[in-house]
Amino acid sequence: RLIKMYKKVYGFYQKQSTLVVLNIKGGNEMGILTFKGGVHPYDGKELSKNSPVVKYLPKGDMVYPLSQHIGAPAAAIVQKGDHVLAGQKIADAAGFVSSPIHSSVSGTVKGIEPRLTATGSMVNSIIIENDQQYESVEFTPARLEDLSKEEILARIKEGGVVGMGGAGFPTQVKLAPKEPDKIDHILVNGAECEPYLTSDYRRMLDDSEKLIEGLRVMLKLFDNAKGILGIEDNKPDCIEKLTELTKDEPRIEVCPLMTKYPQGGERQLIYATTGRAINSKMLPADAGCIVDNVETIIAVYNAVKNGQPVLKRISTVTGDAVKNPSNILYSIGTSYQELVDAAGGFKSQPEKIISGGPMMGFAMFSLDIPTTKTSSSILCFTHDEVAAFEPQACINCGRCVEACPEQLIPSRLAKFGLRGQMDEFEKWHGLECIECGSCTFACPSRRQVAQPIKTMKKLVLAEKRKQASKK
């Protein structure tokens, strides 16, 4: 009797770990709902999810870092004293993996000098004195039916579209894989699994048609692909609305996902929706997939259909220290200080400020920092939970192992990182870490497990590049 009961309980949990969702259009088996591992942090989305998008016009000088993307920094094509218009290109792509930058306001170039960014690095930036006139260049709209694949890619590149979920990878490069015929899935990451962030949620509700049209643009590039909108099931209104809008779209489907962090991770999203697994030596294209964030798809729509480059985006300004948690449509280059002011300022002095989400974002010590194409949010908290606890010794409980979405042993990798043991780190698959921070969150001893792993990853990759350059 005990054996039967064990088998029943074990079978239930095994079934939960490989739960299959049904295609809500036709009832066919479509893919796996989630992935093994992950955590369930407090999401905090109720602070701003119901706040309508606020359109904000900047007041101060605009700062445009030349490195707002993965790859070579853009090369400035303006000089001090030049007058520019909103939408005018001020920096051009400086390599294959690079992206141009456009002014989001009209005004005069004050200079090109290093400025501090949210990641803590000093980056050469174009400073423009905002004249408050917002005079714009003329954009050239186009009909999708009249554009070839090459013209679509050219408009995406010229529009300066990059991955706006945080990675910043130039989108025109991602959409030009070596074997485009093998791409059979375009995945829209609508999970927004990071706590507190609600900008993608507002985009999916308020700009649903633009999102779907942007996905249609991408589908035209890949003849054998279908589009999947992956949305966590804590956003039932988004799922319902997008399902209704795509019910007559044979190449587009909506896939509800289990609400769990990091469900929006590239590897986790691919596995959840297609059942395919990739590792650090592979690209999503190797699994027949292209993955893009909601804001990126909207930018693709604007660039291709309207001829409008990346000038604005929505960012969430929230946290218990913010007076009016908001979703703000702002101009790229606006300072974080202006965004906080637009949300009513602080109701109490924050103890911690984060650019991005609390799991993978960057702590900041100043708000005099420019926003970029990848600035998805700013979080302001009255209490720093990390600093409030003193880390204790590892108790070998294994919770970090259970939480790791890559099935690694984070506690061991962290030790290798602290000891500088590169060979052991690589032997135990440390390069497979996606730096999601689930291990740190799960640790009952409050150890910063992820940080030494991230540091060691950088060192190992730098050593590999050094060795490759000698060959």
Side-chain angles (χ1 to χ4, degrees), residues 103 107 115 127 143-144 181 184 199 208 224 246 248-249 268 276 303 313 345 353 427 432 449 459 470:
S103 176
R115 286 295 180 93
I127 294 91
R143 295 194 328 143
L144 182 59
D181 291 339
D184 55 11
S199 54
S208 309
N224 304 320
T246 58
D248 298 321
E249 294 283 347
Q268 285 65 47
R276 301 168 187 173
R313 69 160 295 157
I353 300 174
K427 176 183 174 183
E432 297 302 318
V449 185
L459 293 174
K470 291 181 178 179

Side-chain angles (χ1 to χ4, degrees), residues 77-90 103 105-111 126-137:
I77 57 174
V78 293
Q79 296 178 343
K80 183 178 180 179
D82 289 351
H83 181 75
V84 298
L85 301 176
Q88 179 178 331
K89 184 160 63 172
I90 57 176
S103 176
V105 299
S106 57
T108 304
V109 177
K110 292 180 68 176
I126 300 172
I127 294 91
I128 294 179
E129 183 179 3
N130 183 5
D131 63 10
Q132 306 290 319
Q133 299 301 308
Y134 302 102
E135 298 173 300
S136 175
V137 301

Side-chain angles (χ1 to χ4, degrees), residues 194 354-363 454:
E194 272 273 12
I354 301 172
S355 171
M359 300 296 286
M360 295 185 71
F362 300 92
K454 292 180 184 180

Side-chain angles (χ1 to χ4, degrees), residues 328-349:
I328 299 175
L329 179 66
Y330 69 91
S331 302
I332 306 296
T334 305
S335 74
Y336 278 100
Q337 182 65 63
E338 286 198 46
L339 292 191
V340 171
D341 292 341
F346 297 130
K347 62 182 180 182
S348 57
Q349 189 61 31

Side-chain angles (χ1 to χ4, degrees), residues 142-161:
R143 295 194 328 143
L144 182 59
E145 305 79 42
D146 300 333
L147 297 174
S148 66
K149 295 179 181 180
E150 292 73 21
E151 289 171 329
I152 290 173
L153 286 172
R155 289 174 81 88
I156 291 172
K157 179 179 180 180
E158 192 62 23
V161 182

Side-chain angles (χ1 to χ4, degrees), residues 225-453:
K226 68 176 180 179
I228 294 179
L229 293 147
I231 307 171
E232 284 190 334
D233 56 11
N234 64 349
K235 306 173 186 67
D237 43 359
C238 291
I239 294 172
E240 182 181 358
K241 184 172 183 179
L242 289 168
T243 300
E244 177 63 25
L245 290 174
T246 58
K247 64 182 181 182
D248 298 321
E249 294 283 347
R251 296 182 66 191
I252 300 178
E253 299 174 349
V254 177
C255 176
L257 305 170
M258 183 182 293
T259 301
K260 182 169 64 169
Y261 179 84
Q263 188 70 265
E266 199 169 58
R267 299 183 202 174
Q268 285 65 47
L269 187 64
I270 291 172
Y271 184 75
T273 54
T274 69
R276 301 168 187 173
I278 63 172
N279 57 39
S280 62
K281 296 180 181 179
M282 300 169 65
L283 296 172
D286 295 325
C289 298
I290 300 289
V291 183
D292 268 311
N293 168 266
V294 167
E295 193 73 34
T296 307
I297 306 290
I298 299 288
V300 166
Y301 164 82
N302 287 328
V304 176
K305 298 295 290 289
N306 300 329
Q308 181 180 330
V310 177
L311 304 177
K312 299 175 181 289
R313 69 160 295 157
I314 295 179
S315 185
T316 303
V317 182
T318 187
D320 61 355
V322 176
K323 191 172 184 179
N324 303 311
S326 309
N327 296 292
I328 299 175
L329 179 66
Y330 69 91
S331 302
I332 306 296
T334 305
S335 74
Y336 278 100
Q337 182 65 63
E338 286 198 46
L339 292 191
V340 171
D341 292 341
F346 297 130
K347 62 182 180 182
S348 57
Q349 189 61 31
E351 194 173 273
K352 188 157 195 173
I353 300 174
I354 301 172
S355 171
M359 300 296 286
M360 295 185 71
F362 300 92
M364 300 195 303
F365 59 85
S366 170
L367 289 173
D368 186 21
I369 288 175
T371 55
T372 65
K373 298 175 185 180
T374 59
S375 301
S376 60
S377 68
I378 178 167
L379 313 181
C380 309
F381 301 113
T382 56
H383 180 62
D384 186 349
E385 291 189 10
V386 176
F389 294 92
E390 186 70 26
Q392 303 297 316
C394 174
I395 59 174
N396 295 314
C397 64
R399 291 188 187 179
C400 60
V401 180
E402 293 176 1
C404 180
E406 292 299 310
Q407 286 83 63
L408 304 174
I409 307 178
S411 56
R412 182 167 294 175
L413 293 174
K415 289 178 183 177
F416 294 147
L418 291 170
R419 295 170 182 170
Q421 296 174 286
M422 284 191 181
D423 292 340
E424 288 297 308
F425 182 85
E426 203 169 348
K427 176 183 174 183
W428 286 87
H429 311 291
L431 294 180
E432 297 302 318
C433 171
I434 62 171
E435 304 181 18
C436 66
S438 294
C439 51
T440 298
F441 178 84
C443 180
S445 295
R446 301 285 181 169
R447 299 178 65 81
Q448 295 299 310
V449 185
Q451 191 56 49
I453 299 176

